[in-house]
Amino acid sequence: MTTPTTRRRGLARFVPAVAAVLGLSLVLAACGGSDDEGGDGGSGGGDLSVTFLPKNLGNPYFDASSTGGEAAVEEFGGTFKEVGPSEATPDSQVSYINTLTQQGVGAIAVSANDPEAIGDALQEARDAGTKVVTFDSDTNPEYRDLFVSQADANGIATKQVELIAKAIGDSGKIAILSASANATNQNEWIKLMEEDLKANHPNIELVETVYGDDDDQTSFDKTAALLQKHPDLKGIISPTTVGIAAAARYLSDSQYKGKVALTGLGTPDQMREYVKDGTVGSFALWSPEDLGYLTAFAAKALIEGDIEGKEGDTFKAGKLGDYTVGADGVVVLGDPLEFNKDNIDDFHF
């Protein structure tokens, strides 16, 4: 198991609002506890120690969210750390949660690889007094105090369908290249995309959904396999930053460049070259830095007792302003943004 290591990143801010939300949220999540300075480690006390636990380390998306989280924690005077597995498998986060529980951290901010597999470990952490904030990908609600969602799930799904429909003339066969088969957020978006396609795009046929497990090479290979299996494919949606970058890399050096449309969720720095060389026309995302920032401030509010994670609770998230907890303990960062050749150089993350 890797040991927690303090991360300091200097990624440029994407959009002020987005970058702030991401970082602060993650920090707050890791700082669970009570208002008491000097309280015991298990209860969190006044110790604003926040640990981010992403799906996997070495993922540019989570590097950015941790940058936002660290910025938030530094802003409110807490202690930031990041730990995590190298691969995004269903139970790979359990040992890290157990260790953090033993260490008595204030809060854990986790992007769940599976809605159920880490549930018992998270419940033990909460029983020990650690606050649990999920971000990006949720667990079942009973296992956490709060979920910080990057955007409304329906809005994310609708945007990706809108982009692929525009790219292929609203007609033809498409496929989806997802992350892991157990990822809560991915499965929710895919379900909503299927519903949107059926209701509003009758001439688009979704022929297959495959999983790259948020691994670059696996996603690259899955893209190649899709095109071999479906030679008449007109487009691919990849709602994962690892997947879309790997798919773009494959398409950019293949006979399918300019013939098979690709869209989904990616970061500007990953996708810039593929937009400029014509491999990708447009894609979408929120600011992962803002997501981390917001997550950290949400954790802080839980630790200090300002909120309990109930619908209607309100808290301040630094430069991002005021937020209100919605139904099922969910806080929404905002709407996704579209990136294309006209604006991609305006963003750096």
Side-chain angles (χ1 to χ4, degrees):
M1 180 193 313
T2 57
T3 57
T5 56
T6 301
R7 288 198 165 194
R8 297 187 177 278
R9 299 179 179 80
L11 298 180
R13 184 168 63 185
F14 171 34
V15 209
V18 183
V21 174
L22 193 58
L24 288 177
S25 302
L26 290 175
V27 174
L28 292 177
C31 296
S34 70
D35 289 326
D36 252 324
E37 286 284 336
D40 67 27
S43 67
D47 177 15
L48 295 176
S49 60
V50 178
T51 299
F52 285 13
L53 177 55
K55 291 180 179 179
N56 59 314
L57 298 181
N59 183 323
Y61 174 87
F62 290 114
D63 288 347
S65 65
S66 291
T67 293
E70 183 173 13
V73 174
E74 289 181 351
E75 190 172 317
F76 58 68
T79 301
F80 172 86
K81 290 184 179 180
E82 182 191 49
V83 299
S86 59
E87 297 182 358
T89 58
D91 59 358
S92 60
Q93 297 168 311
V94 171
S95 61
Y96 296 92
I97 296 168
N98 292 339
T99 297
L100 294 172
T101 300
Q102 294 168 4
Q103 293 173 345
V105 299
I108 299 171
V110 57
S111 178
N113 279 320
D114 186 281
E116 291 274 2
I118 63 175
D120 289 344
L122 288 178
Q123 190 55 58
E124 289 181 9
R126 295 175 72 202
D127 290 343
T130 294
K131 301 299 181 183
V132 172
V133 179
T134 55
F135 72 99
D136 177 69
S137 183
D138 200 10
T139 60
N140 291 343
E142 63 265 29
Y143 299 137
R144 44 75 170 168
D145 297 295
L146 200 68
F147 171 49
V148 179
S149 176
Q150 52 273 64
D152 172 74
N154 190 63
I156 295 172
T158 300
K159 186 64 177 179
Q160 292 178 91
V161 171
E162 170 194 319
L163 293 177
I164 199 67
K166 180 180 179 180
I168 67 172
D170 207 19
S171 178
K173 296 180 179 180
I174 67 168
I176 293 175
L177 171 63
S178 183
S180 69
N182 298 299
T184 313
N185 55 349
Q186 299 280 314
N187 290 336
E188 176 70 8
W189 299 336
I190 291 170
K191 176 185 175 183
L192 292 169
M193 284 191 281
E194 291 172 342
E195 294 173 355
D196 187 15
L197 287 167
K198 183 177 180 180
N200 303 307
H201 303 274
N203 294 322
I204 297 179
E205 179 186 359
L206 176 61
V207 295
E208 190 172 0
T209 296
V210 298
Y211 302 92
D213 296 327
D214 260 352
D215 177 79
D216 176 75
Q217 189 60 50
T218 303
S219 299
F220 183 92
D221 294 341
K222 291 287 187 178
T223 303
L226 273 175
L227 293 165
Q228 291 170 5
K229 184 176 180 180
H230 306 282
D232 55 348
L233 201 66
K234 291 188 67 176
I236 298 172
I237 299 174
S238 187
T240 160
T241 58
V242 174
I244 192 174
R249 181 162 56 87
Y250 178 84
L251 290 173
S252 67
D253 193 32
S254 77
Q255 61 181 311
Y256 302 103
K257 179 180 178 180
K259 298 178 182 179
V260 175
L262 173 65
T263 192
L265 304 177
T267 67
D269 286 350
Q270 283 180 299
M271 300 303 295
R272 197 179 321 279
E273 66 177 292
Y274 304 117
V275 170
K276 290 189 173 184
D277 73 8
T279 301
V280 175
S282 61
F283 63 98
L285 196 65
W286 46 93
S287 166
E289 286 192 23
D290 281 357
L291 182 60
Y293 185 90
L294 177 58
T295 300
F297 269 103
K300 176 179 181 291
L302 285 167
I303 292 167
E304 296 183 334
D306 295 334
I307 62 173
E308 297 179 357
K310 296 180 179 179
E311 184 174 2
D313 282 354
T314 61
F315 66 96
K316 293 184 179 298
K319 57 188 176 183
L320 294 178
D322 297 332
Y323 279 82
T324 300
V325 179
D328 298 319
V330 177
V331 177
V332 178
L333 173 61
D335 295 326
L337 300 171
E338 178 181 341
F339 306 98
N340 52 50
K341 64 181 180 180
D342 294 328
N343 68 357
I344 195 165
D345 282 336
D346 295 334
F347 304 103
H348 300 278
F349 73 93

